[in-house]
Amino acid sequence: MARVILFNKPYGVLSQFTDGEARATLSDHITLPGVYPAGRLDRDSEGLLLLTDDGRLQARIADPRFKTAKTYLVQVEGVASDEALDQLRRGVRLKDGMTLPAEAERIPAPDLWPRDPPVRFRKSVPDEWISLTIREGRNRQVRRMTAAVGLPTLRLVRWRIGDWTLDRLAPGEWREVRVG
């Protein structure tokens, strides 16, 4: 039976257990031996990170060939037009090629924890929240996709990976589930 850890990675924490530069890492929050991240989340992104002690499960979650759905709540600068959302749904051309089509929709501002540091606020520039579900995992993909359609990302929170969600986990908290 595999162990799976659902972890709400705070902003500013690296998705690894060690760092030579004394930055915050997973070891500041998780002291369980033998579990490793299944995929990663950039230091400036927040939300669900899965860790497991099962190498095959880790590969299945992280490897883009398996197309595990990952849902992000994204605060963008600007107003998400129907055209921008349609572009995301069709796939976006990035420097490393076309993305797969995504699920994209406007959502009301979610009831999330405050981010530290807070997202910059500019009275003259509107912002909006979208939900974006992708099935691949290129480097900084969500940020690059929203920028490509004219909506720079201000805040990025991964909410779901496959059937696992961040529901009821505060930043820095984790819970263990058994799989198999």
Side-chain angles (χ1 to χ4, degrees), residues 7-174:
F7 175 57
N8 187 346
K9 187 192 88 60
Y11 179 89
V13 173
L14 295 173
S15 295
Q16 57 199 44
F17 281 98
T18 59
D19 178 56
E21 299 178 36
R23 296 176 291 186
T25 66
L26 297 177
S27 61
D28 295 317
H29 302 276
I30 300 170
T31 57
L32 295 175
V35 294
Y36 303 94
R40 43 169 308 182
L41 205 52
D42 295 323
R43 185 172 161 217
D44 54 355
S45 299
E46 307 163 74
L48 185 60
L49 183 66
L50 299 179
L51 297 93
T52 183
D53 62 355
D54 183 314
R56 285 198 306 219
L57 179 60
Q58 180 184 22
R60 186 162 186 78
I61 293 166
D63 193 318
R65 289 179 301 179
F66 295 107
K67 296 183 175 42
T68 302
K70 298 170 195 78
T71 300
Y72 298 82
L73 307 181
V74 190
Q75 184 181 18
V76 295
E77 185 175 275
V79 176
S81 67
D82 291 341
E83 180 182 327
L85 292 173
D86 285 342
Q87 281 181 277
L88 293 168
R89 291 178 189 128
R90 287 191 305 267
V92 177
R93 179 162 306 285
L94 303 175
K95 286 182 182 174
D96 55 353
M98 284 294 290
T99 66
L100 293 175
E103 296 166 34
E105 63 181 324
R106 278 179 219 88
I107 59 171
D111 183 21
L112 296 172
W113 54 90
R115 193 184 84 177
D116 183 22
V119 172
R120 68 173 155 52
F121 174 74
R122 294 173 23 198
K123 238 189 323 195
S124 62
V125 180
D127 64 79
E128 188 165 45
W129 284 86
I130 63 173
S131 171
L132 191 64
T133 300
I134 62 173
R135 286 176 171 73
E136 53 190 333
R138 301 182 200 182
N139 187 38
R140 299 182 71 81
Q141 180 175 343
V142 170
R143 291 176 188 282
R144 293 190 299 139
M145 287 176 73
T146 62
V149 299
L151 299 167
T153 294
L154 298 172
R155 186 174 182 191
L156 181 60
V157 178
R158 183 160 56 197
W159 189 260
R160 175 184 298 273
I161 299 172
D163 293 331
W164 294 292
T165 71
L166 198 57
D167 197 29
R168 295 185 305 279
L169 275 179
E173 289 185 349
W174 58 271

